């Protein structure tokens, strides 16, 4: 094994190991990770694997359950911990890397270079191990896109794998995956075969009917069971989450929070810095490797245009959306990795700049992990408060109860709406912003002592009934 190949293996293993050891190193942070982690905890506790719950008895209609199933399965395997809810999402990242390595090798390109780029891409490495919906979606998109291309090349069984990928996407994010895949596949078929022949080729080469049946057999039962369990789900999820959420800025119909208002087109800016450093490298390589790209294009396999369309499909889809997040660019990162691997020198010699660039994200992740382990997460999580709280005493939130408070209290910390509940209690704890808790204490007939205060002025008070 030569030195450059050793370097590639070292960077892939180091990046993934850094992310692995970070899985349990710091608390779940508000709002996304703590919210989804709490939903997984509720699923594991209640045994309700059909309908994810926002709180006890409150169904969560915002997303399909695959990400919740993953984290809840982690809890079943390892017990309740940060590692348990994050590990399945890290494993999903490994699956994506494996699928792209297999795809690269099949096409005659370097699987190792592809893996190295992906493992050191900012948004990918962050998401591999984050409790979110997006890595599960990326597994589905990657399987669907690689399955489609290989089926187009004549491997019909891969067409069925592609439809399995679509089913995974339906369970991870919903019908959005069909639009996302369509935005890449349809234009590419037109480029390759022309408008008239594109749909003929689609019909002739792909198992559209039997593949769709496979997809529906996998995904449809959950949709039907979810609507049966909580009527109204399909209307909210299909119309609200797939149209109003993205087309109506500050959509007020959101049952689970507030929509994010961003300037239209912000998704492209998100891609520039979220997929860094490789989002910066790619345009340079596309320009410098113009002749190689021309040669590859003349080969007739359409791989460059296929990957480019795959890469930009998420940005095209969300260009007109005001409610966008950085993680929405994630499904296109596998294409980014293979594109860069194709445009690197054909031999195994690795340029010095590549070695430097590939170290940036793993080093940053390591640094951030160390900071978070040493109290840097306290501003975004109430985990530190429940380390100090008495687990045998009832806890109540004054004001907003964050999702981390739900998770780390095992759902026992309640949100107060008045003082009535506390009048007959001899001993309890109050949590919240310092100013709000102090104001609330003034209305109580209890003696309250400050037990703990965080850097961002969130407090824990222990209260006793005055004799």
């Amino acid at each position: 094994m030569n030195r450059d190949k050793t370097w590639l293996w070292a960077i892939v293993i180091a990046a993934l190991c850094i992310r692995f050891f970070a899985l349990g190193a710091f608390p779940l942070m508000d709002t996304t990770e703590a919210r989804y982690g709490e939903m997984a905890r509720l699923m594991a506790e209640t045994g309700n694997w059909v309908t994810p719950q926002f709180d006890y008895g409150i169904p969560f209609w915002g997303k399909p359950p695959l990400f919740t199933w993953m984290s809840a399965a982690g809890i079943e395997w390892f017990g309740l911990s940060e590692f348990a809810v994050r590990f399945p999402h890290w494993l999903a990242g490994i699956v994506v890397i494996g699928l792209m390595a297999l795809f690269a090798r099949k096409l005659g390109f370097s699987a190792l270079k592809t893996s190295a780029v992906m493992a050191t891409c900012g948004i990918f490495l962050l998401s591999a191990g984050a409790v979110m919906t997006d890595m599960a979606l990326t597994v589905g998109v990657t399987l669907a896109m690689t399955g489609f291309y290989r089926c187009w090349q004549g491997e019909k069984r891969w067409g069925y794998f592609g439809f399995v990928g679509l089913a995974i996407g339906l369970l991870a994010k919903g019908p959005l995956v069909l639009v996302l895949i369509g935005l890449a596949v349809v234009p590419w078929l037109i480029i390759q075969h022309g408008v008239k022949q594109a749909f003929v080729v689609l019909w002739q080469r792909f198992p559209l009917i039997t593949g769709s049946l496979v997809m529906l057999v996998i995904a449809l039962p959950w949709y039907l069971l979810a609507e049966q369990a909580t009527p109204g789900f399909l209307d909210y999820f299909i119309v609200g989450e797939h149209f109003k959420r993205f087309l109506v800025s500050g959509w007020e119909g959101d049952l689970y929070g507030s929509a994010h208002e961003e300037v239209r087109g912000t998704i492209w800016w998100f891609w520039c810095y979220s997929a860094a450093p490789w989002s910066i490298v790619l345009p340079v390589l596309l320009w410098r490797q113009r002749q190689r790209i021309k040669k590859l294009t003349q080969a007739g396999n359409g791989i460059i245009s296929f990957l480019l369309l795959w890469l930009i499909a998420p940005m095209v889809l969300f260009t007109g959306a005001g409610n966008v997040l950085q993680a929405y660019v994630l499904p296109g990162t596998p294409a980014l990795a293979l594109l860069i691997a194709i445009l690197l020198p054909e031999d195994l010699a690795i340029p010095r700049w590549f070695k430097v660039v590939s170290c940036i994200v793993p080093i940053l992740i390591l640094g951030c992990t160390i900071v978070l382990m040493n109290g840097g997460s306290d501003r975004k999580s109430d985990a530190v408060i429940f380390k100090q709280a008495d687990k045998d005493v009832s806890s109540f939130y004054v004001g907003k109860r964050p999702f981390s408070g739900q998770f780390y209290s095992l759902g026992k910390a309640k949100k107060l709406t008045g003082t009535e509940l506390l009048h007959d209690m001899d001993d309890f704890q109050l949590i919240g912003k310092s100013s709000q808790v102090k104001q609330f204490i003034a209305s109580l007939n209890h003696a309250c002592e400050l037990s703990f205060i965080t850097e961002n002025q969130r407090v824990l008070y222990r209260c006793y009934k005055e004799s």
Side-chain angles (χ1 to χ4, degrees):
M1 183 180 292
N2 63 41
R3 291 178 61 185
D4 284 324
K5 192 172 183 179
T6 302
W7 172 268
L8 287 173
W9 274 111
I11 195 64
V12 171
I13 294 171
L16 294 176
C17 284
I18 287 171
R19 193 66 186 93
F20 177 82
F21 288 113
L23 297 179
F26 52 89
L28 301 185
M29 291 185 286
D30 292 306
T31 55
T32 301
E33 268 209 313
R35 173 171 65 169
Y36 291 155
E38 170 62 5
M39 287 166 56
R41 189 196 67 79
L42 281 169
M43 180 173 281
E45 178 186 311
T46 63
N48 182 353
W49 291 77
V50 173
T51 304
Q53 298 175 75
F54 194 69
D55 201 345
Y56 289 100
I58 301 176
F60 180 72
W61 288 348
K63 299 288 187 298
L66 183 55
F67 74 96
T68 319
W69 289 343
M70 291 165 65
S71 289
I75 294 171
E76 293 289 338
W77 296 338
F78 304 111
L80 184 64
S81 67
E82 294 90 355
F83 176 86
V85 295
R86 287 171 174 153
F87 174 73
H89 301 272
W90 180 85
L91 204 58
I94 301 297
V95 171
V96 174
I97 291 175
L99 286 171
M100 288 307 295
L102 184 67
F103 188 48
R105 179 173 294 177
K106 175 65 180 179
L107 297 175
F109 302 112
S110 172
L112 194 49
K113 291 177 183 176
T114 303
S115 301
V117 174
M118 184 165 295
T120 58
C121 178
I123 190 63
F124 185 87
L125 194 57
L126 280 171
S127 300
V131 188
M132 301 190 301
T133 63
D134 301 278
M135 190 55 77
L137 174 64
T138 303
V139 171
V141 169
T142 304
L143 186 56
M145 291 298 289
T146 56
F148 170 85
Y149 187 88
R150 292 185 66 168
C151 184
W152 177 79
Q153 286 192 317
E155 298 180 77
K156 193 167 183 178
R157 63 174 180 148
W158 273 92
Y160 290 99
F161 285 122
F163 279 100
V164 171
L166 289 176
I168 292 171
L170 287 171
L171 291 172
K173 205 83 167 183
L176 174 144
V177 70
L178 303 177
V179 180
L180 189 60
I181 298 297
L183 284 172
V185 164
V186 173
W188 184 76
L189 284 173
I190 291 172
I191 291 170
Q192 291 299 114
H193 303 284
V195 177
K196 291 183 178 179
Q197 282 296 113
F199 294 99
V200 174
V201 170
L202 186 63
W203 176 260
Q204 291 176 341
R205 296 194 188 184
F206 298 92
L208 294 180
I209 295 177
T210 51
S212 296
L213 287 173
V214 169
M215 177 185 73
L216 292 174
V217 165
I218 295 172
L220 186 59
W222 175 78
Y223 281 84
L224 297 178
L225 287 171
E227 176 66 20
Q228 183 181 28
T230 55
F233 158 72
L234 289 177
D235 177 68
Y236 176 86
F237 181 63
I238 302 298
V239 178
E241 289 287 340
H242 283 78
F243 292 96
K244 293 181 180 179
R245 170 174 287 277
F246 301 111
L247 299 178
V248 181
S249 291
W251 174 45
E252 295 182 357
D254 194 331
L255 298 175
Y256 310 105
S258 57
H260 304 270
E261 287 194 58
E262 303 287 354
V263 176
R264 298 301 192 273
T266 299
I267 191 69
W268 294 89
W269 166 238
F270 283 173
W271 179 78
C272 288
Y273 73 80
S274 296
W278 303 110
S279 57
I280 301 169
V281 170
L282 180 63
V284 177
L285 284 178
L286 288 172
W287 175 254
R288 287 188 174 182
Q289 298 290 342
R290 301 186 302 281
Q291 294 303 316
R292 185 146 187 261
I293 292 172
K294 185 177 180 181
K295 181 180 177 182
L296 287 168
T297 302
Q298 290 171 346
N301 60 12
I303 188 59
I304 297 296
S305 58
F306 180 79
L307 293 173
L308 283 172
L309 286 167
W310 177 359
L311 170 62
I312 68 171
M315 282 78 81
V316 172
L317 177 60
F318 294 113
T319 292
N323 181 26
V324 292
L325 298 169
Q326 291 89 337
Y328 288 0
V329 308
L330 183 63
T333 55
L336 170 66
L338 182 52
L339 265 173
I340 290 176
I342 290 172
L343 297 176
L344 286 171
E346 293 187 70
D347 57 16
L348 198 58
I350 304 300
R352 182 176 297 177
W353 65 263
F354 181 91
K355 296 178 181 179
V356 172
V357 171
S358 64
C359 290
I360 294 173
V361 168
I363 290 174
L364 287 175
I365 295 288
L366 178 61
C368 288
T369 300
I370 293 171
V371 170
L372 292 171
M373 288 174 62
N374 289 277
S377 62
D378 293 350
R379 289 181 173 272
K380 296 288 290 181
S381 177
D382 275 4
V384 63
I385 290 177
F386 286 95
K387 288 181 180 178
Q388 308 296 325
D390 188 334
K391 294 180 176 58
D392 297 323
V393 176
S394 298
S395 297
F396 299 93
Y397 271 92
V398 178
K400 182 180 179 181
R401 179 183 61 170
F403 294 106
S404 60
Q406 292 176 247
F407 182 85
Y408 286 103
S409 70
L410 306 182
K412 295 177 181 178
K414 305 301 180 184
K415 180 180 176 180
L416 285 173
T417 56
T419 61
E420 296 81 4
L421 183 64
L422 305 178
H423 283 324
D424 297 327
M425 297 186 68
D426 294 328
D427 192 5
F428 55 85
Q429 298 169 124
L430 296 177
I431 305 168
K433 291 183 179 179
S434 178
S435 57
Q436 290 180 309
V437 175
K438 287 179 180 178
Q439 185 177 3
F440 185 83
I441 287 173
S443 64
L444 295 177
N445 294 320
H446 293 75
C448 297
E449 300 175 353
L450 178 66
S451 298
F452 184 71
I453 183 168
T454 68
E455 291 183 6
N456 61 337
Q457 299 299 301
R458 291 183 64 77
V459 295
L460 169 70
Y461 272 85
R462 183 72 174 266
C463 297
Y464 309 87
K465 201 164 189 178
E466 292 184 313
S467 56

